[in-house]
Structures are given as C-alpha cells and as structure tokens.
Amino acid sequence: AQKITQTQPGMFVQEKEAVTLDCTYDTSDQSYGLFWYKQPSSGEMIFLIYQGSYDEQNATEGRYSLNFQKARKSANLVISASQLGDSAMYFCAMREADNTDKLIFGTGTRLQVFP
Amino acid sequence: NAGVMQNPRHLVRRRGQEARLRCSPVKGHSHVYWYRQLPEEGLKFMVYLQKENIIDESGMPKERFSAEFPKEGPSILRIQQVVRGDSAAYFCASYRDGNTEAFFGQGTRLTVV
C-alpha cells in the first residue's frame, strides 16, 4: 500500500532563514506525483508545488523547492528566506496511480517562523 | 484555490441530525473528491465522483454517509444521524483531465454537539 511519512510534527525557523520539511513515501508504482500543500490557521488547503516521478529536474516555485531523491523515496520541501506568513501546517501528498488519482496525505508538519 | 466553492463553511448539528455539505467544483472540472480531516490529522480520502457516477467510495464509511455529483448542481456529501465522531473538516477537491494540480475548497467544518 502507498504511504506518506512526515516525521517532523513541528519545526521552528527564524525569519529569513531556510527550512527543510521532510517527506518520505512508499510506493511500488513507477508513475506517481508528489505534492506539498500549506494549511494556515484559517484552514484552507493551498497548493505549493508538484513533482512528477519522471521529472528529472527538482520542482521549484518561487521560494519553494522540492528536493526529490527518487532512490531514497524522499520529497523534501525547502522554503528559502522564511517569512512570518509561512507559519502553518504543511502536508506532503502522493497521487495514487490507480486510475482514481486520489491523494494520500502525510500527517503534516507544523512550521513556526519567529522574528 | 481557483474557484472550488464549499458551503457552508461551518455547520453545527445535534447528534442524530443530518448534515449536507455542498461542493461546486471549478468550472470545467469533472472530477470531484471528498476528504475528511480529523483534528490534528492529515486529510483522508473518502470518495471520488464524476458527473452522475461514484468512481471510488473506498474511503467512505459504509453506513450513514453518501455522496452524489448530479448532472446539474453541486456535489453533495450527506451524513445521516450524525455522531460526535463525525466532527471534522470536510474538504472537496476538483481537477480536470490532464492537470497535475487538484484545487481544494476552503472546507466545511462540521461540529456535532
């Protein structure tokens, strides 16, 4: 069965520093997609970044980059130059390649950015 | 979050009542998913629908829960005879064939008292 593991329940980072949020996954599929979502205290789910299993380059979106290490089955999110507004829950997710494309989520990491 | 609309945002129900949660996907999106988030947990898949069809309901409890996505109108998640354990945030997501990103609504927070 496919599984997403986020081992960091909480992380602290100082403003303007970079932070890495860990995500490992387990799948026997060759084709899959990996996502990161941000959930601020207001509760909505905000899409941040996507990495396809066949993408050779690591995905980047502004201050977000995904450190994709396929052999290690890891898809860590790197946030550069942290801002106070980055304080939120962050969820890693994988899209199942079973014709349903449903997402499997990790348990999340709560990031707190301090001045 | 390009246009997935969920309502209501907050819903309070007494034990035994029915809860109806609505989701209007992004215009042109034919795939709708419902997820449930219990407090302090990640989202868990419940059901996947296309217009007038339930494709996968493997994550939905067998009793009291049902979902539909009619030809016209929003997708509805219906919970009958709610219990306290149904208290959670319920998210709807939609996407279009060929897209990588699923767009999420803002969620409905159900509280059962």
Side-chain angles (χ1 to χ4, degrees):
Chain A
Q2 295 177 308
K3 188 179 178 183
I4 291 281
T5 302
Q6 294 181 256
T7 57
Q8 304 156 316
M11 290 285 285
F12 287 89
V13 65
Q14 191 165 31
E15 202 176 5
K16 299 179 186 175
E17 297 294 311
V19 64
T20 298
L21 306 184
D22 294 341
C23 173
T24 58
Y25 59 92
D26 189 16
T27 182
S28 56
D29 292 324
Q30 296 302 310
S31 176
Y32 50 88
L34 296 157
F35 299 76
W36 278 91
Y37 284 86
K38 173 184 178 181
Q39 187 177 42
S41 57
S42 50
E44 69 268 34
M45 294 291 288
I46 302 169
F47 167 77
L48 296 178
I49 197 165
Y50 167 80
Q51 179 85 42
S53 58
Y54 292 118
D55 295 341
E56 294 187 354
Q57 303 267 6
N58 284 346
T60 60
E61 290 284 350
R63 295 186 298 110
Y64 304 107
S65 60
L66 200 151
N67 185 359
F68 182 45
Q69 298 190 36
K70 197 169 181 177
R72 293 186 178 183
K73 293 188 175 178
S74 76
N76 298 340
L77 177 71
V78 180
I79 305 174
S80 62
S82 296
Q83 302 172 357
L84 296 177
D86 293 334
S87 295
M89 283 290 288
Y90 288 81
F91 291 98
C92 180
M94 178 166 59
R95 171 172 279 161
E96 286 205 43
D98 64 350
N99 296 323
T100 67
D101 291 332
K102 58 182 177 276
L103 295 176
I104 301 167
F105 285 83
T107 50
T109 296
R110 184 175 298 280
L111 176 67
Q112 295 194 23
V113 182
F114 59 94
Chain B
N1 293 328
V4 177
M5 302 300 294
Q6 287 188 250
N7 67 80
R9 291 289 308 279
H10 300 275
L11 182 62
V12 179
R13 284 287 177 266
R14 295 186 186 278
R15 280 178 295 171
Q17 291 185 319
E18 178 180 287
R20 279 185 179 240
L21 288 63
R22 294 174 187 78
C23 167
S24 296
V26 174
K27 190 175 180 181
H29 286 196
S30 58
H31 304 261
V32 167
Y33 301 79
W34 285 92
Y35 293 86
R36 178 165 65 175
Q37 184 180 31
L38 295 171
E40 303 301 317
E41 292 188 12
L43 279 69
K44 297 278 170 57
F45 166 77
M46 297 182 74
V47 62
Y48 164 41
L49 309 107
Q50 295 181 15
K51 285 285 187 181
E52 300 185 278
N53 285 305
I54 297 174
I55 308 301
D56 181 351
E57 55 183 348
S58 60
M60 202 150 70
K62 296 278 188 285
E63 296 180 355
R64 303 188 298 108
F65 284 72
S66 62
E68 63 177 9
F69 188 18
K71 189 176 180 181
E72 301 291 337
S75 175
I76 306 286
L77 179 68
R78 183 181 175 207
I79 311 172
Q80 295 178 289
Q81 299 174 344
V82 296
V83 301
R84 287 225 173 103
D86 297 333
S87 296
Y90 292 83
F91 287 92
C92 169
S94 74
Y95 87 102
R96 188 176 58 199
D97 282 329
N99 276 17
T100 55
E101 177 187 346
F103 292 87
F104 278 83
Q106 292 191 298
T108 293
R109 274 139 192 89
L110 172 66
T111 302
V112 180
V113 297

